[in-house]
Amino acid sequence: MATISYKDQLRKPEWQKKRLEIMQRDNFTCQICLDTEETLQVHHKSYDKDKKAWEYGNDRLVTLCETCHKELTEHIKKHGTEEGFSVLKYKNGSLVTVVVYTNGNVIIKQNERWIALSENLGKKLVHFIINNWLNNG
Protein backbone atom coordinates (compact mmCIF):
# COMPACT_ATOMS: atom_id res chain seq x y z
CA MET A 1 0.00 0.00 0.00
CA ALA A 2 1.31 3.47 -0.90
CA THR A 3 2.24 5.86 1.89
CA ILE A 4 0.09 8.97 2.06
CA SER A 5 1.81 12.25 2.93
CA TYR A 6 0.87 14.05 6.14
CA LYS A 7 -0.44 16.98 4.11
CA ASP A 8 -2.72 14.63 2.15
CA GLN A 9 -3.85 12.91 5.38
CA LEU A 10 -5.21 16.25 6.60
CA ARG A 11 -7.51 16.37 3.56
CA LYS A 12 -9.03 12.94 4.24
CA PRO A 13 -12.59 12.64 5.63
CA GLU A 14 -11.26 10.54 8.53
CA TRP A 15 -9.12 13.47 9.69
CA GLN A 16 -11.86 16.03 9.10
CA LYS A 17 -14.22 14.00 11.30
CA LYS A 18 -11.59 13.60 14.05
CA ARG A 19 -10.68 17.30 13.83
CA LEU A 20 -14.33 18.34 14.26
CA GLU A 21 -14.70 15.95 17.21
CA ILE A 22 -11.70 17.55 18.99
CA MET A 23 -12.86 21.10 18.29
CA GLN A 24 -16.33 20.27 19.60
CA ARG A 25 -14.83 18.71 22.74
CA ASP A 26 -12.81 21.91 23.27
CA ASN A 27 -15.86 24.13 22.61
CA PHE A 28 -14.21 25.66 19.53
CA THR A 29 -11.76 27.45 21.84
CA CYS A 30 -7.97 27.66 21.78
CA GLN A 31 -6.81 25.72 24.83
CA ILE A 32 -3.85 28.05 25.41
CA CYS A 33 -5.14 31.62 25.00
CA LEU A 34 -8.90 30.84 25.06
CA ASP A 35 -9.50 32.69 21.76
CA THR A 36 -12.67 31.72 19.91
CA GLU A 37 -12.38 34.10 16.95
CA GLU A 38 -9.04 33.27 15.29
CA THR A 39 -8.80 30.34 12.87
CA LEU A 40 -8.59 27.11 14.88
CA GLN A 41 -6.37 24.11 14.26
CA VAL A 42 -5.90 20.75 15.97
CA HIS A 43 -2.44 20.13 17.39
CA HIS A 44 -0.90 16.65 17.77
CA LYS A 45 0.92 16.63 21.12
CA SER A 46 3.28 13.95 19.78
CA TYR A 47 3.69 11.77 16.72
CA ASP A 48 4.06 8.04 16.14
CA LYS A 49 5.88 7.08 12.95
CA ASP A 50 3.30 4.57 11.69
CA LYS A 51 0.05 6.35 12.68
CA LYS A 52 -2.13 8.37 10.40
CA ALA A 53 -3.29 11.80 11.59
CA TRP A 54 -6.74 10.51 12.65
CA GLU A 55 -5.45 7.38 14.44
CA TYR A 56 -4.37 9.19 17.61
CA GLY A 57 -6.31 9.08 20.86
CA ASN A 58 -8.25 12.22 21.71
CA ASP A 59 -5.96 12.79 24.69
CA ARG A 60 -3.10 13.44 22.24
CA LEU A 61 -5.01 16.11 20.29
CA VAL A 62 -5.89 19.66 21.32
CA THR A 63 -7.55 22.69 19.73
CA LEU A 64 -5.28 25.72 19.26
CA CYS A 65 -5.67 29.01 17.42
CA GLU A 66 -3.36 29.55 14.47
CA THR A 67 -1.07 31.90 16.46
CA CYS A 68 -0.65 29.58 19.45
CA HIS A 69 -0.16 26.56 17.17
CA LYS A 70 2.57 28.31 15.20
CA GLU A 71 4.36 29.61 18.30
CA LEU A 72 4.06 26.32 20.18
CA THR A 73 5.44 24.40 17.19
CA GLU A 74 8.45 26.76 17.04
CA HIS A 75 8.96 26.38 20.81
CA ILE A 76 8.89 22.56 20.54
CA LYS A 77 11.33 22.57 17.60
CA LYS A 78 13.73 24.71 19.63
CA HIS A 79 13.31 23.14 23.10
CA GLY A 80 11.92 19.64 22.42
CA THR A 81 9.01 20.07 24.85
CA GLU A 82 5.84 22.08 25.49
CA GLU A 83 7.09 22.99 28.98
CA GLY A 84 8.05 26.59 29.60
CA PHE A 85 5.59 27.97 27.03
CA SER A 86 2.58 30.24 27.38
CA VAL A 87 0.73 32.88 25.38
CA LEU A 88 -1.33 35.90 26.35
CA LYS A 89 -3.43 37.46 23.62
CA TYR A 90 -5.27 40.77 24.02
CA LYS A 91 -7.61 42.33 21.46
CA ASN A 92 -8.75 45.94 21.53
CA GLY A 93 -10.66 46.69 18.35
CA SER A 94 -8.32 46.08 15.42
CA LEU A 95 -5.23 46.14 17.67
CA VAL A 96 -4.05 42.63 18.61
CA THR A 97 -1.21 42.17 21.09
CA VAL A 98 0.34 38.74 21.59
CA VAL A 99 2.82 38.04 24.39
CA VAL A 100 4.72 34.75 24.07
CA TYR A 101 6.72 33.39 27.01
CA THR A 102 9.16 30.69 25.96
CA ASN A 103 11.77 29.34 28.38
CA GLY A 104 12.51 32.67 30.06
CA ASN A 105 12.19 34.78 26.92
CA VAL A 106 9.34 37.17 26.28
CA ILE A 107 8.34 38.09 22.73
CA ILE A 108 5.66 40.70 22.08
CA LYS A 109 3.82 40.97 18.77
CA GLN A 110 1.57 43.89 17.99
CA ASN A 111 -0.12 44.21 14.60
CA GLU A 112 2.25 41.69 13.00
CA ARG A 113 5.41 43.36 14.38
CA TRP A 114 7.53 41.28 16.78
CA ILE A 115 9.59 42.74 19.62
CA ALA A 116 11.96 40.35 21.42
CA LEU A 117 12.92 41.25 24.97
CA SER A 118 16.19 40.17 26.53
CA GLU A 119 15.86 37.34 29.04
CA ASN A 120 16.61 39.76 31.91
CA LEU A 121 14.03 42.31 30.74
CA GLY A 122 11.50 39.53 30.12
CA LYS A 123 11.93 38.23 33.66
CA LYS A 124 11.54 41.75 35.05
CA LEU A 125 8.35 42.23 33.03
CA VAL A 126 6.90 38.93 34.26
CA HIS A 127 7.87 39.83 37.85
CA PHE A 128 6.28 43.28 37.44
CA ILE A 129 3.04 41.81 36.10
CA ILE A 130 2.80 39.19 38.84
CA ASN A 131 3.49 41.71 41.60
CA ASN A 132 0.93 44.18 40.27
CA TRP A 133 -1.66 41.47 39.79
CA LEU A 134 -1.14 40.19 43.34
CA ASN A 135 -1.19 43.68 44.84
CA ASN A 136 -4.09 45.03 42.78
CA GLY A 137 -6.14 41.87 42.22
Side-chain angles (χ1 to χ4, degrees):
M1 184 184 333
T3 304
I4 182 170
S5 73
Y6 184 73
K7 186 177 179 179
D8 287 338
Q9 288 179 34
L10 299 183
R11 294 187 182 117
K12 291 286 197 181
E14 295 92 338
W15 171 246
Q16 295 302 316
K17 180 181 176 189
K18 183 73 149 182
R19 179 179 176 273
L20 181 59
E21 180 182 337
I22 299 304
M23 287 186 178
Q24 286 174 330
R25 178 200 68 196
D26 294 339
N27 295 313
F28 295 92
T29 302
C30 175
Q31 297 301 292
I32 293 178
C33 73
L34 306 178
D35 193 341
T36 59
E37 296 177 22
E38 187 175 343
T39 300
L40 296 173
Q41 301 174 341
V42 173
H43 169 67
H44 287 77
K45 293 181 179 181
S46 61
Y47 290 97
D48 295 333
K49 184 178 176 184
D50 297 325
K51 282 191 176 181
K52 294 191 174 44
W54 56 87
E55 294 177 334
Y56 291 83
N58 291 357
D59 61 320
R60 302 221 355 233
L61 301 168
V62 63
T63 303
L64 301 178
C65 69
E66 197 169 30
T67 299
C68 288
H69 196 201
K70 178 180 177 277
E71 296 306 321
L72 178 60
T73 300
E74 289 300 314
H75 174 84
I76 292 170
K77 284 179 185 175
K78 187 173 182 180
H79 302 286
T81 179
E82 291 184 13
E83 290 182 31
F85 176 85
S86 61
V87 171
L88 169 68
K89 196 180 327 180
Y90 176 74
K91 295 179 183 179
N92 185 3
S94 63
L95 182 66
V96 179
T97 303
V98 179
V99 180
V100 178
Y101 178 83
T102 172
N103 278 32
N105 297 305
V106 176
I107 304 167
I108 301 172
K109 178 181 176 185
Q110 197 167 60
N111 287 356
E112 302 302 317
R113 185 167 170 228
W114 286 103
I115 303 164
L117 304 180
S118 68
E119 184 172 351
N120 189 37
L121 182 56
K123 285 180 180 177
K124 286 182 178 183
L125 177 62
V126 169
H127 188 276
F128 171 80
I129 291 168
I130 290 170
N131 279 340
N132 280 294
W133 177 71
L134 289 174
N135 292 332
N136 301 316

